[in-house]
Every structure is written in C-alpha cells, then in structure tokens.
C-alpha cells in the first residue's frame, strides 16, 4: 500500500459447511476484485436507504453465508465513469387527485326564494347568471370587494363602486368619465364626531368617511322599482329609510371626498349605465344596486353542484364552485408544508406513465386532520393546489388519482458521481477509486436520482472513477 492511500475495509470470505471464515484484504487474493465490487454495490444501496430515512450512519446489509447464497449473487461488472458537474434536486412524491381544485361555497344574501340554479359543470363568466331569486337573475361580476351596502346616492365613493364601474365598462356599457385619483367630489359623508349609522339608506358611511349603507345583514332588500335618489343636500332629507337613532342632519350630511387610486364614484353617467344594464337583465331599471343583486368573483367559475333546490330560501349556501382550469390537490403534512412555496415547479405523474409540468398555485391556510382508520384523529395536513403549465396535457381527463413530485432540496453546479461508485473506507466515511487503483476519501452531499454530490482532494470535473455497472 503506497503512502497516503486509504485502505478499504477487509471483507469476510464465506466458507461452506460451517467453517470459520477467514479475513482477506480486498487488495489480495485471486478473488479480490469480485468481493470489492460486491462491497461497492452494497455500500451504495445502504447509503441510498439511510439517506432517504435521515439516518446518520451507513451500514450495509449482512452477508449471506453458505455455498447456495454465494451462487445466487451474480458478480457485477465494473466500469469507469466521469465525475460530472451538474444540478441535483431531491424529490418527494405524494399522492394527489386531478380535478378542478378546491371548491368554494357561494352564499345568498337577503330575502327571497331560489327559483333557478346554474347546472353542474356549467362555466359562468362575467355578466352571466349563477342563480335566480324571485325569478330575478343574479349575475357574476369580477373583483376583489363584495357588494356590502346599497349603492344609490350620487357621488358615493368606494372600492365597491369601482367594481360596478369596471365591470359595466368591460361588458360594453358607456359609464362616462370617472374622477381620477387626487380629485375631489362632493358626496355623502359621515358628520365629524358621529358613528357609522346602521340604516339601509344612502346616508350610511364607511369608517374612512366615505358614503356607505346598511351591511348585508342589516339591509339585504331587493331594489325598489322607484327612481334612484341623488345625493341629498343638508337640511332637505335624503329620501332613504328612517333610522330612529340617527338625526336628520346626520343622515343628510355631504362634504368633499378625495378620490383614491382604488376608488370608484357613483356618477350620474354610471347610474344611467346601471339602469341600461338592469333593463338588459330584465329587472326594474332603478339604478340602485343591493348586496344580493350580484355575486363578485375573482374570475370565471365552474359550477360543481348545488346546496339547495328551487323553492328553498335564498339566504344561505346556494352553490359550490371551482376554478375553470383543471388542477391537482395534494394533502401535505403540516410539518412539511413549510418547504413548499407558491410558484414552485413540480412534476405530475399521470395515469399511463405520462408526466406533465406544473407549479404550486396555492397553499391552504388551515390544517385538517386525516383519518387514522381507527376512529382516531390522524396527522394534520394542509391542502396544496397544483396548476398545469399546459392544461391541454390533461384535456381528456376530468378526475384521476395522480402522483406529484416536489423538489425538497437542490444543489447547483456541484460535482457528482453515480451512487455505485462509492466505497466504504476502513477509517469511516466514503471514497472513490480513481482509474489506476488509487483510493481518495470524499465528502458526500445531496443524493438525487441515483447520483451523489462529492468533494475531496483530486476530485475534479472529468476525472474518471471506477463504478459497478
């Protein structure tokens, strides 16, 4: 053995008929090479298993004894491979379900009777009806703010007004000019030092002083068929509902309101556009919008199913909806979901062996307990939704069990060799055999897809090492 070389662990030579085995160096004897190759294979397998299970010590499986066991193990062939520089990513594979993602329940607001519901499987877009209450259509609008108050008074300002303005413009209605950010309009405001009124008339205000109305729980009435009410003037009354707890002066207060970038203004032109839209819907053209008159969504939805039947009250859960694009839902352990980030690239293994590129679209904000199968609470899990980069890859499937590969750890631009190139060393750790027979100790890192990250003296890109085939 030359100076500086590392000696591999001697292995026991198996003898038949219970004879005591003798120890023979892997570098001595006519059969040294086959035993070294077996040692290499066993070491690689043990390292793979223990790395994936988080073990800190590697150990190979015990040798089989007896002539029959020796005959049953074919001798692997050795070959040489180059040390390569590459990117490694360790993956976790979890079971998932292909469908349309997590469903959402839509609730009705106010009085009335459900008279029609969109059928299961229907896609509902902006301006189309999701259901009918008292035989009046309730259309879908796009936005981030639900209708929470009665919109009636001229120059009412707020983000909910912006939803109405943006959607009517998108539907092709002329809404006229909207005041821009920084401009000031005179509209209904809360008098200084007063609290927010609780009535359903146009005098209600938001906490920031902008005009409001009754909350859905307080109001929730269908719009009347009478004309819309313009902004009231001080001392003249507002023409709205009477609130015994609010003085006439408070209910009729107006004042300057500065427009923010996210605000809309209920101008006369917008009110006229609302009336034309209502006429096209087949409802009375009042120019007034109540919270229950529309449903505000993030975008188009697919109806998954109904929670009620025609004839039921409209003030509760009505429909279940999902996104229109197919997605995969995966339940991830609450202890591991922290490693998953929105936008992470994943691979979905489809039925039939095909795969499709996807990414994490959303991560649930609450954990649910999985069933243990014995009536006991199981592990807490969080639902992760995965969206396909090319939805056409799953156009022929509506529902199916799938597997999702998550990348849990990555290394970029590292040196790597096949796992079967590693040798267990006498003094501990692992080494590589360079072409020519010299052993070099190495530090191991990430293991992924049969490759292991290595570093050490003499280990460079392109160097050839011995490996078992």
């Amino acid at each position: 053995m030359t100076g500086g070389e590392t000696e591999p662990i001697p292995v026991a030579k198996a003898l038949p008929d219970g004879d005591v085995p003798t120890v023979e160096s892997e570098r001595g004897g006519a059969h040294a090479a086959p035993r070294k190759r077996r040692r290499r294979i066993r070491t690689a397998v043990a390292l793979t298993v223990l790395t994936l299970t988080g073990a800190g010590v590697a150990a190979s499986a015990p040798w089989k004894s007896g002539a029959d066991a020796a005959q049953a193990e074919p001798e692997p062939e050795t070959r040489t491979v180059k040390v390569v520089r590459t990117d490694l990513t360790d993956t976790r594979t979890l079971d998932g379900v292909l469908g349309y993602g997590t469903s959402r329940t839509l609730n009705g607001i106010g009085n009335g009777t459900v008279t029609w519901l969109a059928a299961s499987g229907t896609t509902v877009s902006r301006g189309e009806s999701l259901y009918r209450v008292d035989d009046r259509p309730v259309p879908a609008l796009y936005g981030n703010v639900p209708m929470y108050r009665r919109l009636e008074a001229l120059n009412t300002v707020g983000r909910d007004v912006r939803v109405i303005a943006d959607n009517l413009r998108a539907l092709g209605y002329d809404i006229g000019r909207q005041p821009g950010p920084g401009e000031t309009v005179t509209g209904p405001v809360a008098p200084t030092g007063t609290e927010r009124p609780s009535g359903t008339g146009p005098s209600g205000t938001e906490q920031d002083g902008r005009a409001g109305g009754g909350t859905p729980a307080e109001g929730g009435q269908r719009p009347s068929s009478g004309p819309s009410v313009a902004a009231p003037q001080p001392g003249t009354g507002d023409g709205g509902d009477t609130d015994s707890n609010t003085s006439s002066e408070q209910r009729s207060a107006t004042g300057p309101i500065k427009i923010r970038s996210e605000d809309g203004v209920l101008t006369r032109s917008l009110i006229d556009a609302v009336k034309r839209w209502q006429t096209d819907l087949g409802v009375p053209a009042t120019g007034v919008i109540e919270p229950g008159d529309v449903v505000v969504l993030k975008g188009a939805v697919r109806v998954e199913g109904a929670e009620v039947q025609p004839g039921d009250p409209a003030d509760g859960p009505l429909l279940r909806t999902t996104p229109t694009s197919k997605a995969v839902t995966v339940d991830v352990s609450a202890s591991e979901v922290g490693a998953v980030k929105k936008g992470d690239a994943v691979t979905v293994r489809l039925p039939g062996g095909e795969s499709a590129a996807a990414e994490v679209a959303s991560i649930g904000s609450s954990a649910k307990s999985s069933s243990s199968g014995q009536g006991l609470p199981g592990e807490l899990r969080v639902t992760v939704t995965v969206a396909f980069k090319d939805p056409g890859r799953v156009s022929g499937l509506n529902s199916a069990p799938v597997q999702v590969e998550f990348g849990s750890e990555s290394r970029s631009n590292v040196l790597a060799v096949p796992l079967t190139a590693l040798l267990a060393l006498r003094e501990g750790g692992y080494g590589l055999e360079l072409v020519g027979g010299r052993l070099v100790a190495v530090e191991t890192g990430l293991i992924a897809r049969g490759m292991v990250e290595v570093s050490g003296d003499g280990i460079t890109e392109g160097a050839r090492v011995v490996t078992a085939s």
Side-chain angles (χ1 to χ4, degrees), residues 162-181:
R162 177 70 173 269
V163 171
I164 299 299
D166 288 348
N167 277 272
L168 290 189
R169 183 186 290 114
L171 290 170
Y173 292 91
D174 181 7
I175 66 170
R177 178 185 176 276
Q178 280 282 293

Side-chain angles (χ1 to χ4, degrees), residues 1 32 57 149 160 247 305 316 319 337 351 355 357 375 400 402 419 422 426 431 468:
M1 183 173 181
V57 180
R149 58 178 175 171
D160 51 346
S247 70
L319 290 171
V337 74
S355 62
V402 296
L419 273 172
L422 291 178
R426 176 188 294 276

Side-chain angles (χ1 to χ4, degrees), residues 124 128-133 136-140 222 291-295:
V124 179
E128 297 177 343
S129 297
L130 278 160
Y131 52 89
R132 297 175 75 96
V133 175
R136 299 173 63 158
V138 179
R222 313 299 296 177
D293 289 345
V294 299
V295 177

